[in-house]
Amino acid sequence: MEEAGYPLILKLVGTKCLVVGGGPVAERKTASLLAAGAKVTLLAPALTANLAGWAAEGKILWQERNVQTGDVAESGARLVFAACGDRSVNRSVCAEAEEAGCLSNNVDEPEEGSFTVPAVVRRGDLVIAVSTGGASPTAARTLAREIADRYGEDYATYTAFLREVREHVKASTADKELRRRLLKEAAIGEPALAAIREGTFEVYRETFLRRIREEAGS
């Protein structure tokens, strides 16, 4: 039995990342990195139309050539994605990443890299990741679609409300017990979600925030 991976959410704003490859898979990896605010360098002799457009717009740094020995270390990247379509090259990229002390993902052979990328459902601040540990990315995507059907866009509004409540509570009172009680009440999702679905959320939101101010004495 293989050891279980360790799940986490990385903050990548301004972080150097390297993608080796210019096809559809490399495009998907690059899109996710850009959405996370990463600084992406891409090594490939040719690009998909979208990647070429991002390069022309300055969203990514494109080096128009095949990967060479030493590129990983010289890139200064913290994350490396081997997605060039050549399995031997992808393995070499991951091996060099390990020597350089950075994390790597091999899109063809997950076991060859140091991390796998889960299928993700995003609803605002709510992020649900599904992984099979590389056993079957297809199964992970299928499960993610089922989860996406269960947790709709109303959860984006709900999680934004939770963030707003947390900020108000922290700013309004230093009483730890009062903070705990208000945050716990806000986290009971049914009333807020019902208000969102019924179109009465703004009234619910204002009422809850007013309660925070009143109970905190501010």
Side-chain angles (χ1 to χ4, degrees), residues 77-123:
R78 292 178 62 189
L79 293 185
V80 177
F81 292 81
C84 73
D86 185 317
R87 288 177 180 262
S88 63
V89 173
N90 284 346
R91 291 191 199 108
S92 296
V93 168
C94 289
E96 187 174 331
E98 183 175 356
E99 291 180 4
C102 52
L103 300 175
S104 66
N105 171 250
N106 185 325
V107 301
D108 293 321
E109 299 172 299
E111 67 280 1
E112 294 293 331
S114 54
F115 72 94
T116 58
V117 179
V120 175
V121 177
R122 295 183 184 275
R123 298 290 183 259

Side-chain angles (χ1 to χ4, degrees), residues 150 155 158 185-198 204:
R150 168 63 179 83
Y155 278 84
Y158 172 55
E185 184 176 341
I188 300 174
E190 288 82 358
L193 287 165
I196 294 168
R197 292 160 184 164
E198 293 167 4
Y204 177 88

Side-chain angles (χ1 to χ4, degrees), residues 5-156:
Y6 187 84
L8 74 166
I9 303 294
L10 291 176
K11 296 180 180 179
L12 294 179
V13 175
T15 300
K16 292 182 179 180
C17 297
L18 176 67
V19 178
V20 178
V25 176
E27 179 183 315
R28 290 199 299 272
K29 302 300 182 184
T30 300
S32 297
L33 290 170
L34 291 176
K39 296 176 65 175
V40 181
T41 296
L42 198 142
L43 282 171
L47 303 179
T48 65
N50 282 334
L51 285 171
W54 298 338
E57 294 168 6
K59 293 181 178 179
I60 61 175
L61 176 62
W62 175 33
Q63 296 186 27
E64 190 178 353
R65 59 178 177 79
N66 289 315
V67 64
Q68 300 172 0
T69 301
D71 279 338
V72 173
E74 291 173 7
S75 71
R78 292 178 62 189
L79 293 185
V80 177
F81 292 81
C84 73
D86 185 317
R87 288 177 180 262
S88 63
V89 173
N90 284 346
R91 291 191 199 108
S92 296
V93 168
C94 289
E96 187 174 331
E98 183 175 356
E99 291 180 4
C102 52
L103 300 175
S104 66
N105 171 250
N106 185 325
V107 301
D108 293 321
E109 299 172 299
E111 67 280 1
E112 294 293 331
S114 54
F115 72 94
T116 58
V117 179
V120 175
V121 177
R122 295 183 184 275
R123 298 290 183 259
D125 286 334
L126 176 64
V127 180
I128 304 173
V130 182
S131 174
T132 59
S136 177
T138 300
R141 287 192 293 269
T142 299
L143 289 169
R145 284 194 293 271
E146 294 176 6
I147 292 170
D149 290 338
R150 168 63 179 83
Y151 295 95
E153 292 299 332
D154 47 353
Y155 278 84

Side-chain angles (χ1 to χ4, degrees), residues 158 161-162 165-166 169 176-193 204-205 207-212 215:
Y158 172 55
F161 167 68
L162 292 179
V165 167
R166 187 174 189 83
V169 168
K176 292 183 179 180
E177 179 57 30
L178 179 57
R179 283 185 176 187
R180 185 198 64 77
R181 179 167 59 79
L182 290 169
L183 293 174
K184 183 177 180 180
E185 184 176 341
I188 300 174
E190 288 82 358
L193 287 165
Y204 177 88
R205 171 182 167 276
T207 301
F208 199 97
L209 295 180
R210 184 170 61 251
R211 271 194 54 217
I212 293 174
E215 296 198 30

